[in-house]
Amino acid sequence: MSRRQEIIARLATIQTRPNAYLCRQCLHKRLASTATATSDPAQAGPIEPPPSGGALPQSTPSASLRTTYKIKASVLLSRPPLLTRSLTPFEKAFFLYQKRLNERLALPFTRYFYYQKGTPGDVEWKQKIRERLTPARDIGRYNAYGKEGWNDELLMGAQEAEPENQLEALVRDAEVEVKEGEGEEGAERGQQELKKEPVQRPMPRVTEADRVGDTKSLDRRLERTLYLVVKEGKERGGRWWFPSDGLTGKESLHTAAERVIVHAGGVNMNTWVVGNIPQGHFVLNYGTQDTKFMTQKVKQEIRGEKYFFMKGRIMAGQANLTDNKLGLTDFQWLAKDEIQRLLTPRDWNAVRLILAER
């Protein structure tokens, strides 16, 4: 037996209190200090062999350590905003003021450079300039070079800064009918009308799904982010939540999120799970309502659930719960404020800082 082995054997027999042996950490600390102090073998005392049965006692796990949590991947599948947000009243007035200020600072419009005198375009220009007093089509009736050119701010209640009013002005300007020929020449030829083709109007910001309140449609609330919220089965009390399922085997959160999307909403969705790191997590300790439909064995073994929220995007398609493998009964596409009214206070506090404001 070497000198080092003799020291280890001796330290293993030292008792700090009756029937209590040193832990491994203390043993290594004493080993290091003793090896430094007793560098001379002649000064070391007699080595006693370790007593029989000196092995460290085996620790048994307590009953509380047998309870565990079920790990679940929850997908925050969202449709991003399709439109920019609506302007505030201050922003509307400010942008119109900037347009009128630009008319004051810019050089006067040279119409003879663009329209030859006596042509239909020149006649159309004269008609429009009499109506709005300015070449700009969306700033209302305003003359930047007149005596009131300095008065370019709006009064309270004015509608010139409203996007709807500006849209109507642009469409009306494009659909103007111009009559060609006047006086005797016009009478001889007959008044000929030069009509422009109808202008296609832009789509409204409020869709049909918004008007009828169809929460299953993705063509609603185009200014906000919509999230897929599903209704779980009777075993969970019909709880509204995000698509979730437990991990199987060595499955990663990213892979589990992709599987959850297919098992919950079907294969007719073009989706993308963003990244491998969850946006957040939520620890759900089972309560009376959560364990109402569980067996006694599950109640003893499972203490609760840990949800890890994975970010997902939908590019095309629609959810279809037919033959879903998660026992879901209904779904909705909702914005953050709508989700708050649907979830319980406990569930809402878990996701309120994760969901996008718009």
Side-chain angles (χ1 to χ4, degrees):
M1 179 182 296
S2 64
R3 181 64 181 174
R4 181 179 179 86
Q5 293 176 344
E6 293 177 355
I7 295 175
I8 295 176
R10 183 177 180 181
L11 291 176
T13 60
I14 300 176
Q15 297 182 355
T16 57
R17 61 180 184 271
N19 300 326
Y21 294 93
L22 291 176
C23 64
R24 294 182 180 274
Q25 185 177 4
C26 297
L27 182 63
H28 285 291
K29 289 182 179 179
R30 291 201 176 188
L31 173 62
S33 61
T34 307
T36 305
T38 60
S39 57
D40 187 2
Q43 298 179 0
I47 303 300
E48 299 179 1
S52 60
L56 297 177
Q58 297 292 334
S59 60
T60 58
S62 61
S64 61
L65 297 180
R66 287 197 294 266
T67 60
T68 184
Y69 287 88
K70 187 175 182 181
I71 306 300
K72 285 191 172 184
S74 186
V75 185
L76 301 180
L77 188 62
S78 62
R79 186 224 65 189
L82 303 181
L83 299 177
T84 57
R85 64 172 179 83
S86 300
L87 300 178
T88 63
F90 173 78
E91 291 171 336
K92 296 175 184 177
F94 177 78
F95 289 142
L96 182 64
Y97 168 74
Q98 290 291 326
K99 293 179 181 178
R100 288 187 171 183
L101 181 61
N102 180 71
E103 290 297 315
R104 294 177 60 188
L105 299 178
L107 293 175
F109 180 78
T110 309
R111 66 184 176 101
Y112 291 115
F113 181 80
Y114 297 95
Y115 305 112
Q116 186 177 358
K117 188 175 182 179
T119 59
D122 184 57
V123 176
E124 179 184 2
W125 165 260
K126 292 179 180 179
Q127 180 182 355
K128 292 179 179 179
I129 205 66
R130 284 194 300 266
E131 293 178 357
R132 61 186 186 227
L133 303 178
T134 177
R137 300 170 294 174
D138 57 348
I139 64 174
R141 187 177 175 84
Y142 173 72
N143 186 5
Y145 296 98
K147 295 181 180 180
E148 297 292 329
W150 59 270
N151 189 15
D152 51 7
E153 296 185 12
L154 290 179
L155 301 178
M156 292 295 296
Q159 299 297 318
E160 287 85 350
E162 296 296 329
E164 294 79 10
N165 184 76
Q166 296 176 359
L167 172 61
E168 292 298 330
L170 294 174
V171 173
R172 185 171 58 252
D173 178 82
E175 294 178 347
V176 166
E177 297 179 356
V178 180
K179 295 182 179 181
E180 184 183 26
E182 295 180 357
E184 296 180 357
E185 295 181 1
E188 293 177 358
R189 295 181 304 175
Q191 291 186 349
Q192 300 177 357
E193 293 185 355
L194 180 61
K195 294 184 178 179
K196 292 186 176 182
E197 296 182 0
V199 178
Q200 184 178 2
R201 302 176 66 90
M203 299 296 293
R205 300 177 72 94
V206 179
T207 64
E208 183 64 24
D210 289 319
R211 288 189 286 269
V212 301
D214 184 9
T215 57
K216 288 184 171 59
S217 174
L218 283 167
D219 298 327
R220 61 182 295 269
R221 304 202 68 174
L222 303 181
E223 302 177 7
R224 300 290 302 274
T225 300
L226 299 183
Y227 293 92
L228 177 62
V229 183
V230 295
K231 187 177 183 180
E232 299 178 341
K234 293 183 179 180
E235 64 276 2
R236 298 303 300 267
R239 170 198 183 200
W240 283 97
W241 191 235
F242 302 96
S244 308
D245 196 16
L247 273 64
T248 59
K250 296 182 179 180
E251 191 177 37
S252 65
L253 290 174
H254 184 95
T255 306
E258 293 178 336
R259 175 178 57 82
V260 168
I261 293 176
V262 176
H263 287 182
V267 297
N268 295 326
M269 291 191 298
N270 184 8
T271 58
W272 171 42
V273 178
V274 184
N276 298 311
I277 301 176
Q279 288 185 288
H281 80 287
F282 167 48
V283 180
L284 172 63
N285 294 314
Y286 285 152
T288 305
Q289 296 296 329
D290 300 314
T291 59
K292 183 176 181 181
F293 300 96
M294 296 182 181
T295 61
Q296 188 64 26
K297 181 180 179 181
V298 174
K299 292 180 182 179
Q300 294 178 353
E301 295 180 353
I302 305 299
R303 184 178 181 182
E305 299 173 350
K306 289 187 177 181
Y307 292 90
F308 291 87
F309 300 107
M310 303 296 294
K311 181 180 181 180
R313 291 289 198 189
I314 178 171
M315 279 75 75
Q318 178 59 286
N320 184 7
L321 300 188
T322 304
D323 300 330
N324 74 88
K325 299 181 180 180
L326 303 181
L328 308 177
T329 59
D330 198 3
F331 76 94
Q332 297 184 72
W333 291 97
L334 303 178
K336 182 177 181 178
D337 56 334
E338 298 171 324
I339 294 176
Q340 181 180 5
R341 296 191 294 265
L342 191 64
L343 299 184
T344 62
R346 178 191 62 180
D347 295 341
W348 168 247
N349 289 331
V351 298
R352 63 186 180 88
L353 300 179
I354 303 177
L355 305 182
E357 291 294 337
R358 64 167 300 271

